[in-house]
Amino acid sequence: MTQTSQWPVPKDSIRYVVPEPIIRLLASHPLTRDLYPLAFGHYRRAVGHHMHREYHHDNLLIYCTEGKAFLNVRGEPYTVEAGDLLLLPAGANHRYTADPENPWTIHWVHYTGPLAEDFRNYMGFDGQTRIRHLGRQPRLLVDFNGLLSVRQTGFRARGLIHAANRLRQLMAAVPINADETGHERQAELETIHNYMREHLDERISLEQLADLAGLSPAHFATRYREQTGTSPIQHFLHLKVERACQMLDTSSLSFADISRRLGYDDAYYFSRLFKKVMGQSPRDYRHTARH
């Protein structure tokens, strides 16, 4: 059974522990067995909140929205503050204590399943990264509160199957919510993307985009990949293919005309790029029945 803290929960906080029979159902059900919650909650200004686990049997994801806490994981000290998302993986001995002067407010979920490690990596956590600073993320709060929507349903299996899939949605959205680069670099990225969208009828180079960012091409390409997970030219191509799909869907233009409008005089070359991205030729795309 999951080991939640023994902090006495006041009226304005919530602790929801999934019953053992339901956990067994979630562990075997085809819609939940890969990833499912064991307990979750919301602690508001958790005065006196503390926990020490020598061995952690499940995974614990904590999102701090206010205040501060002091954390130690495998002998390494950390400070958790508002806007931090913290992951304590299974097997990691740890202890944490809310700051007595400014106790943290947190949303949290204990979970397990075969996909737990894959989601840990996908969210950007590893042996060196325990905390990701996301800032205030309304979408993340909506997802955490979505777990709590199963309260007062009498532990209905359907409600908890829904909660398990809300958990998957929550964790899959973490990389989208992540804002480790700060507002200035996010604004820079948006400028680059706006420039791309405004010049879909042209062929732009890495050097042009790097000049826009005031960086060398190599530095710009590295930083862009760190922020987005892809190269700038690859993203520009995907925008062009996306626009080509819209034109194929909504006009009778030939693909040669569409190619020219997107900066490619060689329709055969662009057709090969299109097929590489979409997995089918422009002709097959246009004649595929979609509803």
Side-chain angles (χ1 to χ4, degrees), residues 15-227:
R15 178 189 293 140
Y16 187 98
V17 178
V18 181
E20 282 293 327
I22 300 295
I23 289 175
R24 289 195 293 271
L25 182 148
L26 296 177
S28 61
H29 196 285
L31 297 182
T32 59
R33 60 192 174 202
D34 290 331
L35 190 82
Y36 52 93
L38 304 171
F40 40 88
H42 176 210
Y43 294 166
R44 192 183 304 276
R45 293 195 59 80
V47 177
H49 183 218
H50 64 91
M51 189 64 189
H52 181 194
R53 298 181 180 93
E54 279 299 327
Y55 185 84
H56 196 208
H57 295 280
D58 54 54
N59 304 273
L60 174 57
L61 190 67
I62 299 175
Y63 182 42
C64 175
T65 56
E66 293 181 73
K68 184 189 298 186
F70 305 107
L71 169 72
N72 189 292
V73 184
R74 291 177 171 158
E76 291 290 326
Y78 303 87
T79 299
V80 183
E81 299 183 288
D84 286 346
L85 184 70
L86 158 69
L87 177 61
L88 297 170
N93 66 74
H94 61 263
R95 62 180 182 272
Y96 49 79
T97 304
D99 183 346
E101 303 298 322
N102 186 20
W104 64 358
T105 292
I106 57 173
H107 282 80
W108 55 270
V109 55
H110 287 265
Y111 64 93
T112 191
L115 285 181
E117 185 173 352
D118 294 299
F119 269 104
R120 181 195 70 184
N121 297 333
Y122 185 74
M123 290 188 288
F125 294 103
D126 54 36
Q128 287 70 48
T129 305
R130 307 285 185 194
I131 298 170
R132 299 200 66 182
H133 184 73
L134 304 186
R136 182 168 179 80
Q137 293 287 350
R139 176 175 176 171
L140 190 54
L141 287 173
V142 167
D143 287 340
F144 268 108
N145 284 322
L147 298 177
L148 295 170
S149 67
V150 303
R151 290 188 308 132
Q152 299 178 348
T153 62
F155 299 122
R156 288 184 65 205
R158 287 183 179 179
L160 283 155
I161 289 171
H162 177 67
N165 284 280
R166 288 295 295 262
L167 173 62
R168 185 186 293 247
Q169 174 184 310
L170 183 161
M171 294 197 290
V174 167
I176 299 171
N177 290 322
D179 186 17
E180 295 180 319
T181 56
H183 295 298
E184 190 172 311
R185 285 177 66 177
Q186 285 295 320
E188 174 191 288
L189 194 61
E190 189 57 30
T191 298
I192 296 294
H193 288 164
N194 284 338
Y195 182 85
M196 290 180 179
R197 286 188 285 266
E198 290 166 3
H199 293 81
L200 286 178
D201 59 341
E202 302 175 22
R203 304 281 293 276
I204 60 178
S205 66
L206 179 64
E207 287 73 20
Q208 286 174 274
L209 296 173
D211 285 343
L212 197 62
L215 300 169
S216 71
H219 187 189
F220 170 71
T222 298
R223 193 158 93 172
Y224 186 93
R225 185 176 286 278
E226 287 174 351
Q227 289 179 256

Side-chain angles (χ1 to χ4, degrees), residues 262-277:
L262 292 172
Y264 292 94
D265 291 328
D266 186 345
Y268 177 70
Y269 174 68
F270 185 47
S271 175
R272 285 190 291 128
L273 294 177
F274 182 100
K275 186 173 183 178
K276 189 173 182 180
V277 174

